[in-house]
Amino acid sequence: MTAQPGNDAFVVFDHVQKSYDGQTLVVKDLNLSIGKGEFLTMLGPSGSGKTTCLMMLAGFETATHGEILLDGKNINDVPPHKRGIGMVFQNYALFPHMTVGENLSFPLEVRGMSKSEREERVTRALDMVQMGKFKNRRPAQLSGGQQQRIALARALVFDPKLVLMDEPLGALDKQLREHMQFEIKALHDRLGITVVYVTHDQGEALTMSDRIAVFNDGRIQQLAPPPSLYEQPENSFVAGFIGENNALRGTIQELQGDKALVRLTNGELIDATAVNIRERGQETTVSIRPERVEFKPELMPRDAHTIEAKVRDVVYMGDILRARLCVAGQDDFVMKYRNTLGQVKLSPGQSIRIGWHPEDARALDPV
Ligand SMILES: Nc1ncnc2c1ncn2[C@@H]1O[C@H](COP(=O)(O)OP(=O)(O)OP(=O)(O)O)[C@@H](O)[C@H]1O
Ligand SMILES: [Mg+2]
């Protein structure tokens, strides 16, 4: 994939590579174009290169190869403090000996702003995160969530056009994290700033982002809005990384356009939608989301594919039930169904027929 900066491309990574030791590339040919006002999340497992990309954009690391553009200008040689980028990191320490107000004033002093303007901006930034009353406290006198809000205010206080956030909510408990996700998103929408956000929490990525770049092994595996990432994964890594997924192994028996007939390892044939499949005979993994599987296939429209399954166990999860099944010789097949009144009870050992629509079965690369 090559970056195609449109008129509104604000950040562009153009064939960017990074190696720390001169041997291994931890970022491999990154091409990414981020629009003005976009909320873009880099999501991926530990070590996949997310922070490295953010550090190169911030200017704390240099690219080994390629160019980074900000608002159309190459910033490879621009030092961090001249890039006008706001930053929030996990446990990004506030200065402990300074009050909240002084912490916020600091980046403005560095920029040579007058006292009156500094005061005005600090007040505005604190109001933005509803922390106006805490101006004279020291960081140690604040809760974790409040400190993180101050860190956010400090990143926004000089009106940056671009804000980078690296796991900013990682240290907070679940409830506070969800609340802050909402606040950050609301601030983004209100201020119209461009945000590049890094997380390895897929739920966080799905709820906050305009687009998500899924990273693995130094490469973007897929770049798409949250719904397409979940519903149209382009490879097995993305299918497995985002949400729960069933992966049935098989071989492409027939291929016509994007329609494939797949022979599963136990010999059974199923229809699937071919994604980046080139030819017959190719190995494949068929991805099916657990909630797209029905265990009353007779109630589904005629084109449903049905298959035998044996119930292994059923886990009660309140609003839904999660059944683990043996399908086509694989023991790890999961089906989720709603816990509605009068729902049939499945029990271990029971043989059932399940079904799904062929468009919900995606034949991807083998794992
Ligand atoms: N300063 C450094 N010197 C040498 N190697 C580094 C340095 N920083 C990161 N790396 C290596 O580069 C790779 C990518 O690291 P990076 O921090 O970008 O990953 P990440 O996706 O942010 O992971 P995490 O989710 O754990 O924060 C890793 O293999 C890491 O060990
Ligand atoms: Mg990181």
Side-chain angles (χ1 to χ4, degrees):
M1 188 186 67
T2 300
Q4 291 178 321
N7 286 338
D8 61 347
F10 191 50
V11 174
V12 176
F13 288 87
D14 190 12
H15 295 289
V16 170
Q17 298 185 345
K18 175 69 181 176
S19 172
Y20 287 104
D21 59 6
Q23 291 193 329
T24 357
L25 289 176
V26 298
V27 174
K28 300 166 185 164
D29 199 32
L30 178 72
N31 294 290
L32 172 62
S33 189
I34 303 170
K36 206 167 219 152
E38 187 171 11
F39 196 115
L40 183 122
T41 297
M42 296 178 171
L43 172 72
S46 188
S48 56
K50 309 179 297 290
T51 296
T52 301
C53 290
L54 220 57
M55 287 297 160
M56 290 191 286
L57 181 51
F60 297 119
E61 289 291 349
T62 54
T64 310
H65 178 88
E67 272 192 298
I68 300 176
L69 310 180
L70 181 60
D71 213 2
K73 291 181 210 69
N74 182 320
I75 52 166
N76 283 23
D77 297 321
V78 179
H81 66 280
K82 295 228 168 112
R83 295 190 181 194
I85 299 176
M87 274 167 274
V88 191
F89 299 119
Q90 181 175 6
N91 302 324
Y92 190 22
L94 299 166
F95 300 118
H97 58 288
M98 289 186 189
T99 64
V100 163
E102 288 161 354
N103 262 284
L104 263 68
S105 191
F106 184 73
L108 304 177
E109 266 178 75
V110 175
R111 286 172 172 77
M113 237 172 240
S114 73
K115 186 155 191 274
S116 60
E117 186 169 4
R118 278 186 341 240
E119 274 173 9
E120 191 196 309
R121 281 181 180 246
V122 168
T123 305
R124 203 171 354 126
L126 283 177
D127 286 346
M128 217 146 55
V129 294
Q130 285 127 42
M131 289 291 288
K133 291 194 202 111
F134 297 81
K135 193 173 163 187
N136 297 317
R137 294 239 191 132
R138 289 185 194 280
Q141 297 167 314
L142 301 173
S143 73
Q146 290 168 337
Q147 289 185 37
Q148 207 56 21
R149 253 185 245 184
I150 300 301
L152 187 60
R154 187 171 62 176
L156 295 171
V157 73
F158 58 92
D159 282 338
K161 297 285 172 282
L162 174 64
V163 178
L164 311 183
M165 303 193 194
D166 194 349
E167 311 254 3
L169 310 179
L172 307 180
D173 66 42
K174 186 169 180 289
Q175 209 177 349
L176 192 55
R177 201 162 64 224
E178 283 171 3
H179 179 73
M180 288 298 294
Q181 287 169 5
F182 176 80
E183 288 202 357
I184 291 174
K185 188 65 186 144
L187 273 174
H188 163 261
D189 295 348
R190 191 148 56 82
L191 303 177
I193 43 175
T194 307
V195 175
V196 184
Y197 195 93
V198 165
T199 182
H200 56 240
D201 179 337
Q202 49 155 306
E204 192 161 295
L206 289 171
T207 55
M208 297 178 84
S209 321
D210 294 321
R211 286 188 305 165
I212 300 174
V214 181
F215 275 70
N216 191 37
D217 196 20
R219 283 186 202 282
I220 295 183
Q221 303 291 318
Q222 190 169 349
L223 172 65
S228 9
L229 216 51
Y230 183 77
E231 284 167 42
Q232 286 115 34
E234 279 169 12
N235 63 36
S236 292
F237 176 81
V238 174
F241 193 73
I242 310 277
E244 201 165 13
N245 182 52
N246 289 302
L248 293 174
R249 289 180 294 279
T251 313
I252 303 289
Q253 187 78 11
E254 280 173 35
L255 184 64
Q256 210 159 56
D258 70 346
K259 304 246 178 307
L261 185 68
V262 177
R263 182 177 292 281
L264 300 179
T265 43
N266 71 337
E268 189 141 10
L269 292 166
I270 64 167
D271 290 315
T273 303
V275 183
N276 300 322
I277 297 288
R278 283 178 310 280
E279 57 194 10
R280 287 175 49 186
Q282 206 178 317
E283 304 248 297
T284 183
T285 306
V286 180
S287 151
I288 306 161
R289 296 292 181 194
E291 71 278 11
R292 295 295 169 95
V293 180
E294 295 281 347
F295 69 96
K296 288 176 194 151
E298 66 278 8
L299 299 181
M300 297 176 79
R302 277 220 310 282
D303 66 348
H305 179 86
T306 70
I307 191 167
E308 283 292 328
K310 198 165 204 133
V311 180
R312 292 291 176 215
D313 51 49
V314 181
V315 178
Y316 175 82
M317 299 178 80
D319 56 340
I320 61 158
L321 293 147
R322 185 176 177 281
R324 197 164 57 89
L325 311 171
C326 180
V327 173
Q330 281 183 233
D331 240 348
D332 51 0
F333 196 95
V334 171
M335 170 178 81
K336 285 181 188 162
Y337 55 101
R338 293 203 304 136
N339 185 10
T340 48
L341 198 64
Q343 183 63 279
V344 181
K345 272 205 161 61
L346 297 179
S347 36
Q350 191 180 347
S351 287
I352 56 173
R353 266 197 100 68
I354 56 169
W356 59 73
H357 291 293
E359 63 267 31
D360 288 330
R362 294 171 68 80
L364 306 171
D365 53 314
V367 284

